[in-house]
PDB file of all heavy atoms in Angstrom:
ATOM      1  N   ARG A 105      15.171 -30.463 -35.192  1.00 94.00           N
ATOM      2  CA  ARG A 105      15.108 -31.881 -35.820  1.00 94.00           C
ATOM      3  C   ARG A 105      13.959 -32.678 -35.216  1.00 94.00           C
ATOM      4  O   ARG A 105      13.425 -33.475 -36.006  1.00 94.00           O
ATOM      5  CB  ARG A 105      16.494 -32.623 -35.507  1.00 94.00           C
ATOM      6  CG  ARG A 105      17.608 -32.206 -36.354  1.00 94.00           C
ATOM      7  CD  ARG A 105      17.526 -32.644 -37.787  1.00 94.00           C
ATOM      8  NE  ARG A 105      17.340 -31.469 -38.712  1.00 94.00           N
ATOM      9  CZ  ARG A 105      17.278 -31.485 -40.031  1.00 94.00           C
ATOM     10  NH1 ARG A 105      17.453 -32.726 -40.631  1.00 94.00           N
ATOM     11  NH2 ARG A 105      17.113 -30.480 -40.749  1.00 94.00           N
ATOM     12  N   LEU A 106      13.748 -32.568 -34.009  1.00 94.00           N
ATOM     13  CA  LEU A 106      12.771 -33.446 -33.365  1.00 94.00           C
ATOM     14  C   LEU A 106      11.330 -32.891 -33.507  1.00 94.00           C
ATOM     15  O   LEU A 106      10.393 -33.683 -33.568  1.00 94.00           O
ATOM     16  CB  LEU A 106      13.043 -33.663 -31.869  1.00 94.00           C
ATOM     17  CG  LEU A 106      14.352 -34.367 -31.588  1.00 94.00           C
ATOM     18  CD1 LEU A 106      14.488 -34.469 -30.051  1.00 94.00           C
ATOM     19  CD2 LEU A 106      14.339 -35.770 -32.209  1.00 94.00           C
ATOM     20  N   THR A 107      11.178 -31.597 -33.557  1.00 93.00           N
ATOM     21  CA  THR A 107       9.770 -31.095 -33.513  1.00 93.00           C
ATOM     22  C   THR A 107       9.318 -30.356 -34.753  1.00 93.00           C
ATOM     23  O   THR A 107       8.183 -30.439 -35.071  1.00 93.00           O
ATOM     24  CB  THR A 107       9.554 -30.194 -32.297  1.00 93.00           C
ATOM     25  OG1 THR A 107      10.314 -29.002 -32.396  1.00 93.00           O
ATOM     26  CG2 THR A 107       9.924 -30.909 -31.052  1.00 93.00           C
ATOM     27  N   ILE A 108      10.269 -29.634 -35.417  1.00 90.00           N
ATOM     28  CA  ILE A 108       9.769 -28.852 -36.560  1.00 90.00           C
ATOM     29  C   ILE A 108       9.987 -29.588 -37.863  1.00 90.00           C
ATOM     30  O   ILE A 108       9.071 -29.645 -38.627  1.00 90.00           O
ATOM     31  CB  ILE A 108      10.635 -27.477 -36.620  1.00 90.00           C
ATOM     32  CG1 ILE A 108      10.525 -26.746 -35.300  1.00 90.00           C
ATOM     33  CG2 ILE A 108      10.245 -26.691 -37.830  1.00 90.00           C
ATOM     34  CD1 ILE A 108       9.124 -26.123 -35.037  1.00 90.00           C
ATOM     35  N   ASN A 109      11.103 -30.173 -38.009  1.00 89.00           N
ATOM     36  CA  ASN A 109      11.459 -30.857 -39.247  1.00 89.00           C
ATOM     37  C   ASN A 109      10.436 -31.992 -39.594  1.00 89.00           C
ATOM     38  O   ASN A 109      10.085 -32.156 -40.738  1.00 89.00           O
ATOM     39  CB  ASN A 109      12.859 -31.449 -39.160  1.00 89.00           C
ATOM     40  CG  ASN A 109      13.369 -31.803 -40.525  1.00 89.00           C
ATOM     41  OD1 ASN A 109      13.122 -31.135 -41.540  1.00 89.00           O
ATOM     42  ND2 ASN A 109      14.101 -32.885 -40.628  1.00 89.00           N
ATOM     43  N   PRO A 110      10.040 -32.853 -38.644  1.00 91.00           N
ATOM     44  CA  PRO A 110       9.170 -33.961 -38.983  1.00 91.00           C
ATOM     45  C   PRO A 110       7.767 -33.644 -39.346  1.00 91.00           C
ATOM     46  O   PRO A 110       7.026 -34.546 -39.765  1.00 91.00           O
ATOM     47  CB  PRO A 110       9.253 -34.885 -37.798  1.00 91.00           C
ATOM     48  CG  PRO A 110      10.312 -34.386 -36.882  1.00 91.00           C
ATOM     49  CD  PRO A 110      10.430 -32.902 -37.212  1.00 91.00           C
ATOM     50  N   VAL A 111       7.329 -32.430 -39.138  1.00 89.00           N
ATOM     51  CA  VAL A 111       5.925 -32.097 -39.317  1.00 89.00           C
ATOM     52  C   VAL A 111       5.556 -32.195 -40.817  1.00 89.00           C
ATOM     53  O   VAL A 111       6.268 -31.657 -41.705  1.00 89.00           O
ATOM     54  CB  VAL A 111       5.629 -30.653 -38.801  1.00 89.00           C
ATOM     55  CG1 VAL A 111       4.195 -30.307 -39.118  1.00 89.00           C
ATOM     56  CG2 VAL A 111       5.888 -30.482 -37.367  1.00 89.00           C
ATOM     57  N   LYS A 112       4.519 -33.026 -41.065  1.00 86.00           N
ATOM     58  CA  LYS A 112       4.190 -33.311 -42.526  1.00 86.00           C
ATOM     59  C   LYS A 112       3.666 -32.095 -43.185  1.00 86.00           C
ATOM     60  O   LYS A 112       4.136 -31.757 -44.300  1.00 86.00           O
ATOM     61  CB  LYS A 112       3.041 -34.387 -42.481  1.00 86.00           C
ATOM     62  CG  LYS A 112       3.677 -35.748 -42.114  1.00 86.00           C
ATOM     63  CD  LYS A 112       3.619 -36.773 -43.286  1.00 86.00           C
ATOM     64  CE  LYS A 112       4.444 -37.934 -42.934  1.00 86.00           C
ATOM     65  NZ  LYS A 112       3.947 -38.688 -41.779  1.00 86.00           N
ATOM     66  N   GLN A 113       2.663 -31.306 -42.659  1.00 85.00           N
ATOM     67  CA  GLN A 113       2.138 -30.184 -43.318  1.00 85.00           C
ATOM     68  C   GLN A 113       2.480 -28.989 -42.481  1.00 85.00           C
ATOM     69  O   GLN A 113       1.662 -28.578 -41.600  1.00 85.00           O
ATOM     70  CB  GLN A 113       0.625 -30.220 -43.499  1.00 85.00           C
ATOM     71  CG  GLN A 113       0.301 -31.296 -44.566  1.00 85.00           C
ATOM     72  CD  GLN A 113      -1.120 -31.750 -44.455  1.00 85.00           C
ATOM     73  OE1 GLN A 113      -1.570 -32.073 -43.376  1.00 85.00           O
ATOM     74  NE2 GLN A 113      -1.855 -31.753 -45.554  1.00 85.00           N
ATOM     75  N   PRO A 114       3.629 -28.396 -42.671  1.00 81.00           N
ATOM     76  CA  PRO A 114       4.103 -27.288 -41.782  1.00 81.00           C
ATOM     77  C   PRO A 114       3.367 -25.971 -42.007  1.00 81.00           C
ATOM     78  O   PRO A 114       3.921 -25.106 -42.589  1.00 81.00           O
ATOM     79  CB  PRO A 114       5.579 -27.221 -42.039  1.00 81.00           C
ATOM     80  CG  PRO A 114       5.746 -27.709 -43.421  1.00 81.00           C
ATOM     81  CD  PRO A 114       4.607 -28.582 -43.754  1.00 81.00           C
ATOM     82  N   THR A 115       2.152 -25.927 -41.557  1.00 85.00           N
ATOM     83  CA  THR A 115       1.405 -24.641 -41.628  1.00 85.00           C
ATOM     84  C   THR A 115       1.953 -23.719 -40.466  1.00 85.00           C
ATOM     85  O   THR A 115       2.500 -24.279 -39.507  1.00 85.00           O
ATOM     86  CB  THR A 115      -0.077 -24.737 -41.420  1.00 85.00           C
ATOM     87  OG1 THR A 115      -0.327 -25.329 -40.186  1.00 85.00           O
ATOM     88  CG2 THR A 115      -0.675 -25.683 -42.514  1.00 85.00           C
ATOM     89  N   VAL A 116       1.823 -22.463 -40.644  1.00 85.00           N
ATOM     90  CA  VAL A 116       2.411 -21.437 -39.665  1.00 85.00           C
ATOM     91  C   VAL A 116       1.810 -21.727 -38.302  1.00 85.00           C
ATOM     92  O   VAL A 116       2.497 -21.814 -37.268  1.00 85.00           O
ATOM     93  CB  VAL A 116       2.075 -20.065 -40.190  1.00 85.00           C
ATOM     94  CG1 VAL A 116       2.410 -19.047 -39.027  1.00 85.00           C
ATOM     95  CG2 VAL A 116       2.935 -19.685 -41.390  1.00 85.00           C
ATOM     96  N   LEU A 117       0.474 -21.840 -38.235  1.00 89.00           N
ATOM     97  CA  LEU A 117      -0.216 -21.989 -36.872  1.00 89.00           C
ATOM     98  C   LEU A 117       0.362 -23.247 -36.150  1.00 89.00           C
ATOM     99  O   LEU A 117       0.634 -23.246 -35.069  1.00 89.00           O
ATOM    100  CB  LEU A 117      -1.657 -22.028 -37.106  1.00 89.00           C
ATOM    101  CG  LEU A 117      -2.454 -22.020 -35.802  1.00 89.00           C
ATOM    102  CD1 LEU A 117      -2.253 -20.612 -35.153  1.00 89.00           C
ATOM    103  CD2 LEU A 117      -3.925 -22.171 -36.066  1.00 89.00           C
ATOM    104  N   ARG A 118       0.411 -24.353 -36.962  1.00 90.00           N
ATOM    105  CA  ARG A 118       0.848 -25.565 -36.341  1.00 90.00           C
ATOM    106  C   ARG A 118       2.273 -25.453 -35.776  1.00 90.00           C
ATOM    107  O   ARG A 118       2.543 -25.871 -34.602  1.00 90.00           O
ATOM    108  CB  ARG A 118       0.814 -26.631 -37.479  1.00 90.00           C
ATOM    109  CG  ARG A 118       0.557 -28.043 -36.965  1.00 90.00           C
ATOM    110  CD  ARG A 118       0.241 -28.991 -38.172  1.00 90.00           C
ATOM    111  NE  ARG A 118      -1.131 -28.885 -38.531  1.00 90.00           N
ATOM    112  CZ  ARG A 118      -1.682 -29.529 -39.626  1.00 90.00           C
ATOM    113  NH1 ARG A 118      -0.824 -30.371 -40.339  1.00 90.00           N
ATOM    114  NH2 ARG A 118      -2.844 -29.478 -39.923  1.00 90.00           N
ATOM    115  N   LEU A 119       3.147 -24.885 -36.572  1.00 90.00           N
ATOM    116  CA  LEU A 119       4.502 -24.709 -36.114  1.00 90.00           C
ATOM    117  C   LEU A 119       4.605 -23.806 -34.888  1.00 90.00           C
ATOM    118  O   LEU A 119       5.382 -24.105 -33.941  1.00 90.00           O
ATOM    119  CB  LEU A 119       5.417 -24.165 -37.191  1.00 90.00           C
ATOM    120  CG  LEU A 119       5.593 -25.141 -38.441  1.00 90.00           C
ATOM    121  CD1 LEU A 119       6.487 -24.458 -39.478  1.00 90.00           C
ATOM    122  CD2 LEU A 119       6.225 -26.474 -37.926  1.00 90.00           C
ATOM    123  N   ILE A 120       3.787 -22.783 -34.809  1.00 91.00           N
ATOM    124  CA  ILE A 120       3.884 -21.814 -33.651  1.00 91.00           C
ATOM    125  C   ILE A 120       3.408 -22.567 -32.486  1.00 91.00           C
ATOM    126  O   ILE A 120       4.019 -22.472 -31.352  1.00 91.00           O
ATOM    127  CB  ILE A 120       3.013 -20.604 -33.951  1.00 91.00           C
ATOM    128  CG1 ILE A 120       3.718 -19.745 -34.971  1.00 91.00           C
ATOM    129  CG2 ILE A 120       2.822 -19.761 -32.659  1.00 91.00           C
ATOM    130  CD1 ILE A 120       2.957 -18.469 -35.328  1.00 91.00           C
ATOM    131  N   ILE A 121       2.421 -23.377 -32.559  1.00 92.00           N
ATOM    132  CA  ILE A 121       1.916 -24.159 -31.401  1.00 92.00           C
ATOM    133  C   ILE A 121       2.949 -25.139 -30.965  1.00 92.00           C
ATOM    134  O   ILE A 121       3.120 -25.338 -29.726  1.00 92.00           O
ATOM    135  CB  ILE A 121       0.569 -24.726 -31.731  1.00 92.00           C
ATOM    136  CG1 ILE A 121      -0.509 -23.701 -31.873  1.00 92.00           C
ATOM    137  CG2 ILE A 121       0.122 -25.784 -30.685  1.00 92.00           C
ATOM    138  CD1 ILE A 121      -1.822 -24.150 -32.364  1.00 92.00           C
ATOM    139  N   ILE A 122       3.698 -25.732 -31.893  1.00 94.00           N
ATOM    140  CA  ILE A 122       4.743 -26.602 -31.515  1.00 94.00           C
ATOM    141  C   ILE A 122       5.798 -25.860 -30.647  1.00 94.00           C
ATOM    142  O   ILE A 122       6.302 -26.367 -29.665  1.00 94.00           O
ATOM    143  CB  ILE A 122       5.388 -27.258 -32.734  1.00 94.00           C
ATOM    144  CG1 ILE A 122       4.407 -28.287 -33.338  1.00 94.00           C
ATOM    145  CG2 ILE A 122       6.661 -27.923 -32.404  1.00 94.00           C
ATOM    146  CD1 ILE A 122       4.862 -28.902 -34.621  1.00 94.00           C
TER     147      ILE A 122
END
Side-chain angles (χ1 to χ4, degrees):
Chain A
R105 283 290 112 174
L106 295 179
T107 65
I108 303 291
N109 195 39
V111 178
K112 289 245 167 60
Q113 288 162 313
T115 60
V116 167
L117 189 63
R118 210 168 277 178
L119 292 179
I120 289 181
I121 290 172
I122 288 175

